[in-house]
Amino acid sequence: MTVLALSVVHRRRVPVVALGTCLLSFTAFWLAQRAAQVSMIDLMVYRAEGATVRAGGDLYALRATAAQLPTTYPPFAALLFTPLTLPGAEVLRALATAGNLALLVVFVRQSLLLVGERRGTAVWWTAAVAVWCEPVWTTLRYGQINLLLAVLVLWDLSRREGARWAGVGIGLAAAVKLTPALFVVFLLATGAVAYVRRGPGGPWLRHARGAVAAFAGATGLAAAVLPYDSWRFWSAMVFRAGRVGHAEETANQALRGVLARLLHSPDPGGWWLAVAVVAAGAGLAVAVVAELRGRRPWAVCAVAVTALLVSPVSWSHHWVWCVPLTLLLGSRAYRAGAVATSVVFCSYALWWVPHGPHRPELRQGGAELTLSALYALTGCAFLAVTARRERTGGTDARTEEDVRRVVRGVRVKPSRTNRTV
């Protein structure tokens, strides 16, 4: 009886300890951000965009904050930013930090469900650590929306087959920021390949249609409210990648940034286009094969990584997808890869190289080039691992059927083959 009582107490204490550790980590994080006097500069740009919409100003002529940053997102995003003008700047910063911390917990929960892990304590332990990785730290430092977009995408892809709102999350995320649109291409490609193989391509095609409809609806709403700004964005601004920032900046962890630093040129030109096309094709092919074999966790992470690699600019904080990527590797017997990935994203190593307004990135060489390309190299390595698994027919420690059942809310009994994370 004593042993049984102690066991019950232990089971009750573990969740409390996990939650307490997470709250303690979040509190330390909040204090560290306040001590660093973070400006949350991107949040202030969003606020300025919302104010411009309310005032009826020229959205794409806007230059916000002391850094004179321009508007770079589609007009629909600016519509969503209008409520940010209601609270004062300091209150807004506090609300944004609290909101992003809550989104991190949701994102971690969705990532764990994606890889087949249902234990509630895993959410708190993982979130307590994930908040300190560089992409998440920088997301909160700038007041960015990366976690919100990732949550929308994962929520959409974790829904039951044929769910009523399938595609809405991806469509809205793409309407706010174009990069998630690659998930629509992935769904279309998967459905098309399944159809050609005389399989049921309908589920993926219906999901893609839902995403396109949501994107079109949001974009159409923005065009109705902001016709001039919508015309300017879709006819001109969408093609001006230079508005976002310098390609060679160390923070740019897309292939375009890596090539700019490697070639010592602010514009890698045709080289980037050729590499991006090859990377997009290879990444999507790997993702489609994984999806058709029932390995959605690998497919989702492959699409996310591919989108980050081929985007003209993928700032380091865009790589919050390192969270599900690391969890996936760790839960599939790639523990060395999971540790290496954690080190890459928690070491802040890309900031060890010279960087700043005088563009020292254009003079990098040797080890500096490697350090400033760590995220892109990790992404490429992940795609290579996924491609090798699909080519060799590798199996997971946790079966994909178990993963699908977990995502759908069916309890899976732990066994020796699926007791991983």
Side-chain angles (χ1 to χ4, degrees):
M1 291 292 292
T2 303
V3 173
L4 179 60
L6 289 174
S7 177
V8 171
V9 170
H10 175 72
R11 285 199 300 270
R12 290 178 177 176
R13 286 184 59 188
V14 169
V16 174
V17 172
L19 175 59
T21 301
C22 183
L23 292 176
L24 183 63
S25 178
F26 280 11
T27 301
F29 178 89
W30 190 303
L31 294 174
Q33 292 254 313
R34 299 287 78 76
Q37 297 182 334
V38 295
S39 64
M40 304 186 83
I41 189 170
D42 288 348
L43 179 65
M44 295 300 106
V45 175
Y46 301 157
R47 189 169 188 259
E49 291 180 29
T52 302
V53 170
R54 294 185 62 183
D58 187 339
L59 190 60
Y60 294 99
L62 171 69
R63 291 295 183 274
T65 74
Q68 295 292 291
L69 297 177
T71 302
T72 58
Y73 293 172
F76 179 67
L79 286 181
L80 298 182
F81 294 152
T82 52
L84 301 182
T85 61
L86 299 179
E90 287 306 314
V91 173
L92 180 60
R93 288 188 179 97
L95 291 174
T97 300
N100 262 328
L101 289 174
L103 282 170
L104 174 61
V105 173
V106 176
F107 183 47
V108 167
R109 174 62 172 167
Q110 290 178 330
S111 299
L112 287 166
L113 285 176
L114 179 70
V115 303
E117 176 57 62
R118 285 181 59 88
R119 288 177 297 175
T121 54
V123 176
W124 304 119
W125 291 121
T126 305
V129 176
V131 73
W132 296 99
C133 73
E134 193 274 339
V136 174
W137 166 276
T138 311
T139 288
L140 274 80
R141 173 190 174 190
Y142 292 149
Q144 264 282 344
I145 58 172
N146 305 304
L147 290 170
L148 173 61
L149 300 181
V151 163
L152 283 173
V153 171
L154 277 186
W155 169 79
D156 199 337
L157 292 171
S158 64
R159 309 203 68 205
R160 295 174 184 269
E161 184 179 300
R164 183 177 181 183
W165 299 101
V168 171
I170 293 174
L172 291 178
V176 172
K177 192 172 184 178
L178 296 178
T179 309
L182 193 66
F183 282 95
V184 182
V185 179
F186 156 70
L187 291 170
L188 287 170
T190 305
V193 172
Y195 179 79
V196 169
R197 292 180 177 180
R198 301 182 183 277
W204 293 286
L205 296 178
R206 284 194 297 271
H207 202 152
R209 284 199 299 269
V212 171
F215 174 83
T219 303
L221 174 63
V225 178
L226 304 169
Y228 175 70
D229 292 320
S230 295
W231 170 255
R232 285 200 68 195
F233 180 81
W234 294 108
S235 64
M237 300 302 167
V238 69
F239 304 109
R240 299 181 184 176
R243 284 172 52 84
V244 181
H246 298 285
E248 72 275 11
E249 288 188 38
T250 296
N252 184 11
Q253 291 297 299
L255 291 174
R256 181 167 173 258
V258 174
L259 283 174
R261 293 186 290 271
L262 182 64
L263 299 175
H264 307 294
S265 169
D267 183 12
W271 286 106
W272 166 67
L273 185 60
V275 171
V277 168
V278 172
L284 284 172
V286 168
V288 168
V289 171
E291 176 72 6
L292 289 175
R293 291 180 177 175
R295 295 164 181 165
R296 172 155 288 190
W298 292 93
V300 170
C301 289
V303 177
V305 166
T306 302
L308 291 167
L309 290 174
V310 303
S311 175
V313 173
S314 291
W315 301 127
S316 66
H317 52 78
H318 294 166
W319 286 79
V320 292
W321 285 93
C322 67
V323 175
L325 192 154
T326 304
L327 291 172
L328 176 60
L329 292 173
S331 66
R332 298 301 193 275
Y334 290 93
R335 290 179 177 81
V339 171
T341 302
S342 299
V343 170
V344 166
F345 289 102
C346 292
S347 66
Y348 296 68
L350 74 163
W351 298 112
W352 299 353
V353 303
H355 58 278
H358 300 297
R359 311 268 65 85
E361 293 95 334
L362 292 175
R363 299 184 293 275
Q364 289 181 358
E368 292 177 345
L369 284 171
T370 301
L371 289 175
S372 65
L374 278 178
Y375 291 8
L377 291 173
T378 302
C380 290
F382 174 78
L383 291 179
V385 168
T386 306
R388 184 176 181 277
R389 288 185 74 263
E390 299 308 323
R391 187 172 63 251
T392 59
T395 57
D396 293 334
R398 183 187 297 274
T399 69
E400 295 302 331
E401 177 58 29
D402 281 352
V403 171
R404 286 194 292 272
R405 292 176 64 202
V406 167
V407 169
R408 293 171 182 169
V410 180
R411 188 173 184 84
V412 177
K413 294 181 180 180
S415 65
R416 292 182 180 179
T417 59
N418 67 12
R419 213 176 281 161
T420 51
V421 178

